């Protein structure tokens, strides 16, 4: 039977990137702290994620670091490196886009692949996903789990069941034996509050949700109806594709606070490079450009402008950003973080052929294969 939907989810994502970048961490309990899912550097003492080696000790995402240290005193605790996570995420999505005609981003480290209509091209989706897993691990260096099924919700459950480093398929006919006996917290959409309400009413398994459709609807209203559809393996409204993304942004916390224009501007160019090629990859035009500066004393300054021309190269974006930078830069204060954002999108764009070729090269060989000379210069001084 042809199973057209795959869901992929990178395993222990932030921790896997750390283990890839520093091979001495491989096979060890690694706990990433100091960064939140939006990539803000935080000092709130919470675990962002833990490698599977650390999870054996009970360490989990969202747990206070002090608690993790009690459970896993020999763990290796590292701060987050969000721009590395972003680059790795983009490399993974580039691979997915090479294989699947339709890729739906759910998150930085997960998404759906839709192979509907590809029966002739890819008669065996499981074999194809094996190849995708191999490409991700050999080209990006981090493990990914993939679930395959007839709907998005079942593919997501399959992916979860196969973790870590899994490849698991659920056929529609398997739903009663594989999915229905699972406890309700395995069903996407059942959070802690919903779980308490359902369990109080003796609804413990996913199958119980199907059997008690009316009671679930009475207890939870619309949410209950959506859960019933999910429990039956049918994609509800949560799985419909979202519209255009609202913005694309990149930010970097400088390795050392700086007042040096040449240094800061070279970092802004690097960010413009990343934002521009993401815009190009998504085939979008932006009508608004914005910059964020955070000073050493943690005060933030932001400035944006509407642009009338379409951006055809990273340098054009950089010129817009530098203009904004010069308007808000307080030369007396050291800069701690810089960010570049574009928003107000329209589909389609008119780019230089040269930029399209650069994007192809970046997709094939990684985003660092070709960069502005100024960006390369800045790497030597950072
Ligand atoms: N994350 C975070 N804080 C959380 C949850 C997640 O900062 N409370 C970050 C770190 C994770 C990344 O988001 O690496 C992806 O989250 P997932 O829930 O997919 O968890 P992992 O990828 O770490 O593990 P897995 O998917 O293997 O369970
Ligand atoms: Ca993940």
């Amino acid at each position: 039977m042809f199973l057209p939907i795959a869901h992929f989810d990178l395993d222990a994502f932030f921790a896997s990137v750390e283990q890839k970048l520093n091979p001495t961490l491989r096979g060890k309990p690694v706990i990433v702290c100091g960064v939140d899912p939006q990539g803000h550097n935080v000092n709130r003492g919470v675990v962002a994620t833990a490698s599977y080696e650390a999870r054996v000790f009970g360490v989990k995402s969202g747990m206070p670091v002090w608690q993790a240290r009690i459970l896993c005193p020999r763990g290796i605790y590292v701060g987050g490196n969000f721009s590395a996570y972003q680059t790795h995420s983009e490399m993974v999505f580039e691979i997915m886009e090479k294989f699947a005609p339709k890729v739906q981003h759910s998150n930085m480290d997960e998404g759906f692949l839709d192979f509907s209509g590809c029966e002739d091209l890819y008669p065996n989706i499981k074999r194809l996903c094996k190849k995708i897993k191999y490409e991700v691990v050999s080209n990006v260096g981090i493990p990914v789990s993939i679930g395959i099924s007839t709907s998005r919700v079942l593919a997501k459950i399959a992916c979860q069941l196969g973790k870590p480093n899994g490849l698991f398929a659920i056929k529609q006919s398997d739903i009663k034996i594989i999915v229905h006996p699972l406890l309700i917290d395995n069903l996407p959409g059942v959070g802690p509050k919903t779980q308490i309400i359902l369990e109080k009413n003796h609804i413990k398994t996913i199958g119980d949700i199907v059997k008690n459709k009316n009671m679930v609807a009475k207890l939870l209203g619309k949410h209950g109806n959506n859960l019933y559809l999910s429990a039956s393996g049918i994609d509800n409204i949560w799985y419909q594709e979202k519209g255009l993304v609202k913005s694309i942004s990149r930010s970097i916390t400088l390795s050392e606070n700086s007042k040096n224009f040449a240094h800061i501007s070279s970092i802004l160019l690097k960010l413009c490079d990343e934002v521009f090629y993401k815009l190009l990859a998504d085939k979008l035009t932006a009508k608004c450009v914005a910059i964020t500066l955070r000073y050493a004393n943690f005060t933030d300054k932001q400035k944006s402008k509407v642009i009338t021309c379409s951006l055809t190269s990273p340098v054009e974006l950089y010129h817009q950003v530098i203009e904004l930078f010069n308007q808000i830069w307080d030369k007396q204060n050291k800069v701690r973080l810089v960010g570049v954002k574009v928003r107000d999108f329209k589909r389609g764009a008119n780019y230089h052929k040269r930029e399209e070729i650069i994007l192809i090269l970046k997709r094939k060989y990684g985003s660092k294969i070709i960069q502005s000379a100024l960006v390369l210069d800045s790497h030597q001084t950072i």
Side-chain angles (χ1 to χ4, degrees):
M1 189 198 177
F2 185 67
L3 301 174
I5 308 293
H7 180 256
F8 69 91
D9 185 345
L10 299 168
D11 298 325
F13 178 41
F14 293 1
S16 298
V17 173
E18 297 298 334
Q19 288 177 319
K20 178 227 166 158
L21 295 176
N22 178 356
T24 64
L25 300 180
R26 291 184 194 163
K28 298 196 180 142
V30 174
I31 295 115
V32 180
C33 333
V35 66
D36 73 8
Q38 280 72 43
H40 302 123
N41 287 323
V42 287
N43 191 13
R44 56 186 172 131
V46 168
V47 172
T49 196
S51 67
Y52 277 78
E53 294 85 351
R55 291 184 196 194
V56 174
F57 299 94
V59 181
K60 289 184 193 154
S61 295
M63 174 180 273
V65 174
W66 62 260
Q67 196 179 350
R69 284 192 191 276
I70 293 173
L71 293 169
C72 187
R74 286 171 181 246
I76 302 162
Y77 292 77
V78 297
N81 178 358
F82 198 70
S83 82
Y85 308 149
Q86 243 159 356
T87 313
H88 283 77
S89 159
E90 278 165 20
M91 290 196 282
V92 170
F93 276 95
E94 277 169 20
I95 293 174
M96 300 302 171
E97 271 151 20
K98 206 170 78 180
F99 286 100
K102 211 158 141 200
V103 179
Q104 190 182 334
H105 292 228
S106 316
N107 215 319
M108 198 181 175
D109 81 325
E110 63 179 282
F112 292 102
L113 311 178
D114 188 342
F115 296 101
S116 305
C118 297
E119 287 90 332
D120 293 338
L121 186 63
Y122 300 132
N124 188 334
I125 295 293
K126 197 163 186 181
R127 193 177 307 148
L128 174 69
C129 288
K130 217 172 179 175
K131 195 165 170 207
I132 295 176
K133 273 169 67 66
Y134 177 77
E135 282 239 356
V136 171
V137 81
S138 50
N139 294 349
V140 189
I142 53 178
V144 60
S145 293
I146 305 187
I148 314 164
S149 193
T150 45
S151 65
R152 284 167 167 67
V153 64
L154 290 180
K156 194 168 161 71
I157 294 171
C159 180
Q160 205 52 42
L161 290 177
K163 266 185 172 293
N165 199 13
L167 177 56
F168 193 71
I170 299 179
K171 295 192 216 112
Q172 187 69 32
S173 54
D174 288 341
I175 192 170
K176 279 201 177 132
I177 44 167
I178 297 180
V179 179
H180 286 178
L182 297 172
L183 295 176
I184 51 175
D185 60 348
N186 287 288
L187 187 65
V190 175
K193 281 186 199 156
T194 305
Q195 189 179 352
I196 291 171
I197 297 171
L198 292 176
E199 283 177 355
K200 262 192 195 157
N201 288 277
H202 312 289
I203 295 170
K204 297 206 165 93
T205 65
I206 296 180
D208 291 341
I209 294 179
V210 178
K211 276 189 236 145
N212 297 284
K213 178 184 178 188
N214 293 338
M215 191 205 284
V216 173
K218 216 164 124 192
L219 290 168
L220 301 167
K222 251 191 200 161
H223 187 70
N225 285 328
N226 280 319
L227 286 182
Y228 168 76
L229 289 172
S230 282
S232 314
I234 299 165
D235 289 334
N236 60 35
I237 192 161
W238 305 331
Y239 295 92
Q240 282 165 13
E241 271 186 85
K242 295 189 186 82
L244 284 181
V245 287
K246 295 228 161 41
S247 65
I248 295 172
S249 61
R250 294 288 183 273
S251 61
I252 290 185
T253 302
L254 311 192
S255 48
E256 263 179 47
N257 299 343
S258 173
K259 282 186 192 172
N260 181 326
F261 177 82
H263 180 55
I264 299 170
S265 59
S266 69
I267 289 171
L268 284 171
L269 178 58
K270 175 177 154 55
L271 296 175
C272 289
D273 204 68
E274 290 180 14
V275 168
F276 176 82
Y277 288 106
K278 178 76 178 124
L279 200 57
L280 180 54
D282 291 352
K283 300 189 179 62
L284 296 172
T285 309
K287 287 191 288 179
C288 183
V289 174
I291 182 173
T292 301
L293 296 184
R294 177 169 301 153
Y295 290 103
N297 62 4
F298 281 86
T299 52
D300 286 349
K301 275 262 178 189
Q302 275 141 358
K303 181 96 185 157
S304 62
K305 69 181 284 201
V306 174
I307 48 169
T308 46
C309 55
S310 91
L311 299 165
T312 58
S313 71
V315 175
E316 274 182 26
L317 174 59
Y318 172 74
H319 288 316
Q320 304 286 350
V321 166
I322 280 293
E323 197 183 309
L324 294 171
F325 176 69
N326 283 326
Q327 287 171 25
I328 58 170
W329 186 31
D330 168 5
K331 296 182 182 136
Q332 308 309 318
N333 282 323
K334 285 192 173 174
V335 174
R336 175 184 163 80
L337 169 147
V338 287
V340 170
K341 183 191 273 189
V342 290
R343 57 183 152 84
D344 296 354
F345 298 134
K346 262 192 338 198
R347 277 200 201 279
N350 185 17
Y351 301 106
H352 287 316
K353 189 78 197 148
R354 184 190 59 193
E355 305 307 335
E356 282 175 10
I357 293 168
I358 292 177
L359 180 65
I360 293 168
L361 288 172
K362 281 177 176 273
R363 282 191 158 154
K364 189 146 189 210
Y365 299 106
S367 57
K368 293 213 173 92
I369 192 73
I370 182 160
Q371 290 176 301
S372 299
L374 195 54
V375 169
L376 293 175
D377 251 9
S378 80
H379 278 302
Q380 284 155 17
T381 53
I382 285 173

